[in-house]
Amino acid sequence: MALKFLPWLIALIVCVHSKSPYKICVPAQFLKDCEIMLEVETKSKEKLECVPARDRMECLYYVQQRQADFVPVDPEDMYVASKIPNQDFVLFQEYRTEDEPDAEFRYQAVIVVHKDLAINSLDELKGLKSCHTGINRNVGYKIPLTMLMKRAVFPKMNDHSISPKENELRALSSFFKQSCIVGTWSPDPKVTSVWKQHYSKLCSLCQHPDKCDYPDDFSGYEGALKCLAHNGGEVAFTKVFYVHKFFGLPLGTIPASPSSEDPTNFRYLCVDGSKVPVGDKRPCSWAARPWQGLLGHNDVLARLSPLREKIKQLSTSGVNAKPGWFINVLGLSEKIHHVADNIPIKPTDYLKKANYTEVIERGHGAPEPVVRMCVTSSVALEKCRAMSIFAFSRDIRPTLDCVLESSDDDCLKSVRDNGSDLAAVDDVRVASASNQYGLHPVFHEVYGPKKVPNFAVAVVKKGSSLKTIDDLKDKRSCHNSYGTFSGLHAPLFYLINKGKITPSPGQCVQKMSEFFSSGSCLPGVDKSENNPSGADVSSLKKQCSSDNTPLRCLQDGRADVAFVSSADLDNYDESEYELLCLNTEAGGRDKLSNYQTCNIIVAPSRTWLSAKTSQSDVSIAHTPLSLAELLDKRNDLFNIYGEFFKNNNVLFTNGATSLASTLNFDFNKFKTVHDVISNCGIA
Ligand SMILES: *[C@@H]1O[C@H](CO)[C@@H](O)[C@H](O)[C@H]1NC(C)=O
Ligand SMILES: *[C@@H]1O[C@H](CO)[C@@H](O)[C@H](O)[C@H]1NC(C)=O
């Protein structure tokens, strides 16, 4: 009887075995969402498996290496993918909107003009009043620039004495008579405000020319058309979808709607200078933005249909609730969730048919500026190159170039000698390295969820009576290691600055131990390189034990105060410890979380230095800062902080959470610390 089922059973086993799951790659931070997705019931019994990666960049690498089968991507990621050596990627499904399920592109960039505008070629756009969606946006900014810069009448943008972004603004402001281009022009707010004054013509056609920022009635896709129809604009750069919406014309599955605007008064301007009625079935466009979609390796094609079916069913099942996996794992969204099968296509061909490759590769005219980042290891070189192609794909200029040297000092020399533009130094060396090589800081790391520098702080037990530095005299102290800013430089600087000890070469550490005369723990103070003269430093070891961390020291009651960094405070219990506000005249104590206002002094971060060259700091810092700003909101795309292929502190320290311009930062503080400490003979 049982034998009767045996063939079935065998068939079932074979079948299960042949059906290995499809592996979807997911940024590790969304692994949980992905696992929830695996539980979703669909008609299809195909199995998926979640492969966690650092971020989308690593996912591309995993797919290329066959560790995963596919990953959802933006057109920009397709560009990055196309540059990976030995890749055989194919785009096999597109994510479209319910409004336009049959459209070839997500949107098409068009130029709209008044029907009687007397022009016959794009060259004659010169001197007109122009309406745009906003700075750095596709159809209102990047695409028009890409197309206009090909024309001889458009001003050159290759002046290297100003940044690429400023070149663009200057060219636009001299080409057009007046414009409205709202938004954040530079990642540095000061620079944005200077530019908005200097190139005020680019704001004069806005509703609020003084602000020139969102929200503005004449910005955005529809705003650009309003600017054209009602604010004296002569040409608008927008996309087809909103032209239809503005004029109440039908499109895709959307029916016509009432509109007070009259489409017969307007025309599309084609690249060849001809005009086509607005609402025409074949609008003439400059370029288009392709849909997002799913990118897999070539082997996926052999068993494509079941996977496509599974994805469609998942999309349908998640469309109402839009759970985390819908957005974070599959990359679908509120608007874009119609999953369409396309003829599998290579990413390069997919971008080319939309003219989107040239939009991505948009330059500023030869010689293209680059900013050269100096690195000191092959893994850092790899990361720098990955950052370069990623930033390039997302329209961040100048292009990042990477120079490999063998040490931090060689990098500093390379910057001094114009072999590269940027080199990094760790905290305490910022001031000395700047002095030694004649460099200056341009941007630095910031840390924690607040994205601020670290601070040197003094931690005491809650409820202690200590308030000021004088209360600490003859008490016991524990410190972060010798050589750290928080453990050594900050307390020394403070004691000297307050006149509690008098600096003299080779004597400062000794004098600090006399101040904390009941004994301290300063790990590493007795190492021969830190104490070449072999001075008696026993009192600076007196409170040490097998666990030398300052926290442990406080817990064990071996110290009255701990000199640590705000980065260490995560380990301290807010109900047991407080900060001593040595930075204020009155002293006092405050909660651990208030380290920004209650501390000893701000600590120097890992900082990138440059030399004064023909390039301005604004130009040199623009690429790293713009990249950091983009990734602030989207570190699932590329997590440039934290581990990189299992290596720590590659280019940036693992604890960094963003980058900030030093233009707004008082670096003289560190010079002062450096100058004071140098009286001690400590570098
Ligand atoms: C790409 O550019 C060509 C020539 O400039 C143009 O005719 C075509 O319509 C563009 N394609 C798209 C999708 O906009
Ligand atoms: C620095 O080097 C670059 C690249 O070789 C060169 O274009 C530039 O003119 C140099 N700058 C100076 C100030 O020599």
Side-chain angles (χ1 to χ4, degrees):
M1 202 46 184
L3 270 182
K4 205 171 124 190
F5 294 102
L6 195 59
W8 286 101
L9 195 62
I10 290 169
L12 188 68
I13 291 168
V14 169
C15 188
V16 166
H17 273 264
S18 70
K19 272 193 174 176
S20 57
Y22 295 93
K23 289 179 280 183
I24 179 169
C25 188
V26 55
Q29 57 184 301
F30 301 136
L31 182 58
K32 193 95 217 118
D33 284 331
C34 192
E35 283 161 353
I36 292 170
M37 182 178 81
L38 300 187
E39 303 301 313
V40 174
E41 293 278 343
T42 56
K43 208 165 122 242
S44 158
K45 293 300 161 224
E46 295 298 328
K47 291 275 175 254
L48 295 180
E49 181 187 323
C50 304
V51 177
R54 185 191 63 231
D55 47 37
R56 193 177 281 178
M57 287 298 100
E58 191 168 61
C59 276
L60 292 177
Y61 175 81
Y62 277 10
V63 173
Q64 187 260 340
Q65 300 272 310
R66 306 295 196 264
Q67 284 164 269
D69 295 319
F70 68 101
V71 58
V73 289
D74 297 328
E76 290 74 17
D77 304 317
M78 297 176 205
Y79 182 82
V80 174
S82 74
K83 300 293 172 189
I84 294 177
N86 306 320
Q87 54 84 17
D88 58 354
F89 292 118
V90 281
L91 188 93
F92 62 85
Q93 248 174 345
E94 292 176 18
Y95 289 172
R96 301 183 185 167
T97 57
E98 299 299 342
D99 289 342
E100 296 182 88
D102 301 318
E104 187 178 8
F105 304 111
R106 176 162 167 201
Y107 50 75
Q108 285 172 272
V110 288
I111 317 175
V112 186
V113 295
H114 295 272
K115 78 171 190 315
D116 298 325
L117 184 71
I119 76 173
N120 298 303
S121 108
L122 292 191
D123 289 349
E124 292 169 73
L125 290 173
K126 188 175 161 69
L128 299 186
K129 295 187 202 169
S130 65
C131 304
H132 306 252
T133 52
I135 190 98
N136 296 343
R137 293 175 60 168
N138 268 303
V139 300
Y141 188 86
K142 279 156 61 171
I143 294 176
L145 262 179
T146 308
M147 302 303 163
L148 287 174
M149 69 173 285
K150 292 185 198 166
R151 316 193 72 92
V153 291
F154 197 74
K156 291 272 163 284
M157 298 193 290
N158 56 0
D159 176 355
H160 289 195
S161 69
I162 58 174
S163 69
K165 186 56 60 186
E166 189 170 1
N167 265 296
E168 295 169 8
L169 297 169
R170 190 172 74 177
L172 286 166
S173 105
S174 76
F175 187 73
F176 291 115
K177 187 175 181 188
Q178 274 187 298
S179 309
C180 178
I181 307 181
V182 300
T184 306
W185 289 2
S186 160
D188 191 312
K190 276 192 185 164
V191 174
T192 294
S193 123
V194 169
W195 284 350
K196 281 191 179 170
Q197 295 196 357
H198 204 97
Y199 305 104
S200 60
K201 276 167 68 183
L202 297 180
C203 297
S204 59
L205 212 53
C206 296
Q207 181 193 16
H208 306 291
D210 47 329
K211 289 206 195 74
C212 198
D213 208 343
Y214 303 99
D216 191 289
D217 259 6
F218 302 126
S219 74
Y221 299 115
E222 259 188 289
L225 290 164
K226 263 192 217 165
C227 163
L228 175 74
H230 306 297
N231 202 35
E234 295 171 294
V235 51
F237 300 96
T238 186
K239 64 185 189 186
V240 172
F241 184 86
Y242 280 90
V243 171
H244 283 244
K245 192 159 176 248
F246 187 72
F247 293 109
L249 302 165
L251 182 72
T253 62
I254 308 171
S257 62
S259 164
S260 55
E261 309 294 339
D262 183 359
T264 61
N265 287 334
F266 297 90
R267 295 285 181 272
Y268 290 126
L269 181 66
C270 307
V271 178
D272 64 7
S274 63
K275 293 183 196 135
V276 172
V278 154
D280 197 273
K281 284 263 178 317
R282 299 191 52 83
C284 50
S285 68
W286 313 57
R289 182 168 163 84
W291 299 107
Q292 292 148 284
L294 293 178
L295 194 69
H297 56 67
N298 199 58
D299 300 351
V300 172
L301 298 186
R303 46 194 202 116
L304 193 52
S305 303
L307 173 60
R308 283 172 159 177
E309 203 46 47
K310 175 80 179 180
I311 301 289
K312 283 184 205 167
Q313 291 178 13
L314 281 171
S315 168
T316 307
S317 129
V319 74
N320 289 323
K322 300 193 183 63
W325 55 262
F326 188 82
I327 293 155
N328 299 329
V329 179
L330 289 183
L332 299 166
S333 65
E334 181 69 38
K335 276 196 183 145
I336 300 183
H337 52 252
H338 176 87
V339 181
D341 298 341
N342 60 312
I343 296 166
I345 183 171
K346 289 184 188 152
T348 34
D349 296 336
Y350 189 70
L351 297 174
K352 269 203 190 106
K353 76 185 165 90
N355 295 344
Y356 203 65
T357 309
E358 60 175 317
V359 175
I360 288 181
E361 293 183 343
R362 181 170 82 83
H364 295 80
E368 292 293 343
V370 295
V371 50
R372 299 159 300 171
M373 203 169 209
C374 192
V375 304
T376 57
S377 70
S378 57
V379 63
L381 184 65
E382 196 179 338
K383 184 174 186 178
C384 179
R385 286 180 176 157
M387 280 167 41
S388 170
I389 181 73
F390 178 87
F392 185 80
S393 78
R394 305 248 164 195
D395 200 42
I396 296 172
R397 302 291 187 276
T399 308
L400 197 60
D401 205 352
C402 311
V403 176
L404 179 63
E405 292 288 349
S406 48
S407 68
D408 283 353
D409 274 287
D410 287 341
C411 270
L412 293 166
K413 277 187 206 132
S414 167
V415 174
R416 181 194 63 194
D417 301 338
N418 191 31
S420 40
D421 298 304
L422 284 166
V425 273
D426 274 318
D427 50 27
V428 297
R429 288 211 53 210
V430 173
S432 59
S434 320
N435 283 354
Q436 191 179 348
Y437 296 99
L439 311 180
H440 64 278
V442 283
F443 65 93
H444 59 277
E445 294 180 350
V446 287
Y447 307 93
K450 294 182 191 163
K451 301 190 173 169
V452 292
N454 286 325
F455 289 80
V457 292
V459 183
V460 295
K461 274 229 167 82
K462 212 167 180 171
S464 87
S465 60
L466 305 170
K467 277 211 178 77
T468 66
I469 189 65
D470 293 314
D471 300 335
L472 289 175
K473 174 110 183 76
D474 299 327
K475 296 285 192 309
R476 300 162 305 164
S477 64
C478 279
H479 303 243
N480 272 344
S481 305
Y482 188 96
T484 60
F485 184 82
S486 58
L488 178 66
H489 296 72
L492 258 188
F493 166 73
Y494 187 80
L495 289 169
I496 295 169
N497 213 25
K498 294 286 163 186
K500 303 299 169 192
I501 63 180
T502 323
S504 54
Q507 299 296 309
C508 293
V509 174
Q510 197 73 29
K511 290 183 178 174
M512 187 162 77
S513 87
E514 285 158 20
F515 184 84
F516 296 111
S517 65
S518 298
S520 302
C521 177
L522 176 58
V525 68
D526 50 349
K527 282 199 187 138
S528 57
E529 69 265 30
N530 299 332
N531 183 16
S533 64
D536 177 15
V537 291
S538 58
S539 68
L540 285 165
K541 294 288 290 176
K542 190 170 164 196
Q543 303 298 347
C544 292
S545 78
S546 56
D547 183 337
N548 279 335
T549 60
L551 174 57
R552 193 55 199 274
C553 198
L554 281 177
Q555 280 170 341
D556 294 352
R558 285 180 275 122
D560 303 295
V561 60
F563 291 102
V564 299
S565 161
S566 56
D568 306 322
L569 292 178
D570 284 348
N571 304 321
Y572 287 70
D573 184 346
E574 185 118 59
S575 70
E576 285 186 51
Y577 300 101
E578 282 182 314
L579 299 175
L580 211 50
C581 310
L582 296 179
N583 58 326
T584 62
E585 267 321 308
R589 295 190 301 273
D590 204 346
K591 288 198 300 218
L592 297 183
S593 53
N594 287 341
Y595 62 83
Q596 275 177 272
T597 47
C598 177
N599 53 57
I600 302 173
I601 186 171
V602 63
S605 309
R606 183 171 168 82
T607 297
W608 291 79
L609 308 175
S610 81
K612 270 267 169 277
T613 60
S614 57
Q615 291 197 71
S616 68
D617 285 356
V618 171
S619 183
I620 289 177
H622 189 270
T623 294
L625 289 180
S626 300
L627 179 63
E629 184 181 62
L630 168 69
L631 299 177
D632 275 350
K633 281 165 237 121
R634 290 301 307 272
N635 70 356
D636 60 308
L637 294 178
F638 194 178
N639 186 358
I640 58 171
Y641 319 105
E643 271 191 7
F644 187 76
F645 293 115
K646 308 244 180 310
N647 295 278
N648 291 318
N649 306 323
V650 181
L651 292 183
F652 308 111
T653 53
N654 282 19
T657 50
S658 193
L659 305 173
S661 164
T662 50
L663 287 183
N664 306 319
F665 198 80
D666 180 12
F667 253 86
N668 286 329
K669 270 194 184 137
F670 305 133
K671 246 181 98 33
T672 316
V673 175
H674 175 257
D675 291 346
V676 169
I677 303 270
S678 66
N679 295 324
C680 297
I682 297 171

